[in-house]
Amino acid sequence: MATSSTRHDTHSTTASGGWSTKRIAVTALFCAVAAICTLFIEFPILPGVTFLKYDPSAIPALIAGFAFGPGTGAVVSILPYFVHLATESGLYGTFMAIVATITLVVPASIVYQRNTTMRGAITGLVVGAVVCLVCCILANIVVTPLYMGAPRETVIGMIVPVLLPFNVLKIAINCTITALVYKPISKAIES
């Protein structure tokens, strides 16, 4: 992983040390990739549970967070999901997508920012995974009854057989792919 001396946002275009032109451009690119992922690469990953769909949009957000820090990770965790407002997912889907991504990306990026080694990345991904899993389950208990029009007790009954396995699998896929592709993508950003 990158060392703190090779952070990707060291050349600022502002006097106060704000975002560099490169950081803004790369952040926009990550947002576009995440939006494409969430709109066009979406599929069920649990047999018989078609309303829960996986999309790889958290991967660009994780990479952005590792490359530029938690602020950039947060931007890429929020902006691309507003496209859901124009889909059948609507407000509930937008909210759930943001919660699922930002609660994974920001904690992982904070940990990695403090220790920019492979060990720091793995530790960050584990911390982010735990925070994300807890937040996704809590958000499902609150939001899913509104989205599905089902009683909260029904949703609570879905936690162990449906929601927990889906979220664990989704988080595991996102973290594994990020761990495998971050280094080559980071090198490409540097050049």
Side-chain angles (χ1 to χ4, degrees):
M1 301 287 171
T3 63
S4 58
S5 63
T6 61
R7 297 294 299 185
H8 304 294
D9 56 355
T10 56
H11 300 291
S12 175
T13 57
T14 65
S16 64
W19 285 36
S20 69
T21 304
K22 180 178 183 178
R23 182 177 178 183
I24 292 168
V26 173
T27 300
L29 179 64
F30 279 124
C31 284
V33 170
I36 290 167
C37 287
T38 195
L39 281 174
F40 301 112
I41 308 172
E42 185 181 65
F43 51 90
I45 54 175
L46 285 182
V49 185
T50 57
F51 74 96
L52 292 174
K53 295 181 179 152
Y54 169 78
D55 73 70
S57 57
I59 296 167
L62 277 166
I63 293 168
F66 280 3
F68 294 106
T72 303
V75 169
V76 182
S77 296
I78 295 170
L79 291 181
Y81 297 107
F82 286 117
V83 298
H84 278 289
L85 292 172
T87 69
E88 66 183 49
S89 297
L91 182 61
Y92 298 126
T94 302
F95 177 77
M96 292 301 287
I98 290 171
V99 166
T101 305
I102 202 164
T103 59
L104 174 62
V105 171
V106 171
S109 301
I110 289 170
V111 171
Y112 179 68
Q113 189 175 37
R114 293 194 170 111
N115 181 8
T116 56
T117 64
M118 181 57 89
R119 181 178 183 166
I122 300 300
T123 303
L125 290 169
V126 169
V127 169
V130 170
V131 172
C132 178
L133 185 61
V134 169
C135 290
C136 283
I137 296 301
L138 293 174
N140 270 292
I141 291 170
V142 173
V143 174
T144 303
L146 301 171
Y147 176 72
M148 292 179 64
R152 182 163 282 117
E153 295 75 28
T154 301
V155 175
I156 291 171
M158 293 170 51
I159 290 174
V160 173
V162 177
L163 300 174
L164 190 61
F166 171 78
N167 284 295
V168 167
L169 187 55
K170 174 182 71 172
I171 293 166
I173 292 168
N174 289 333
C175 290
T176 302
I177 293 173
T178 299
L180 293 172
V181 302
Y182 174 70
K183 192 159 187 139
I185 292 173
S186 176
K187 287 180 180 178
I189 294 170
E190 287 174 15
S191 48

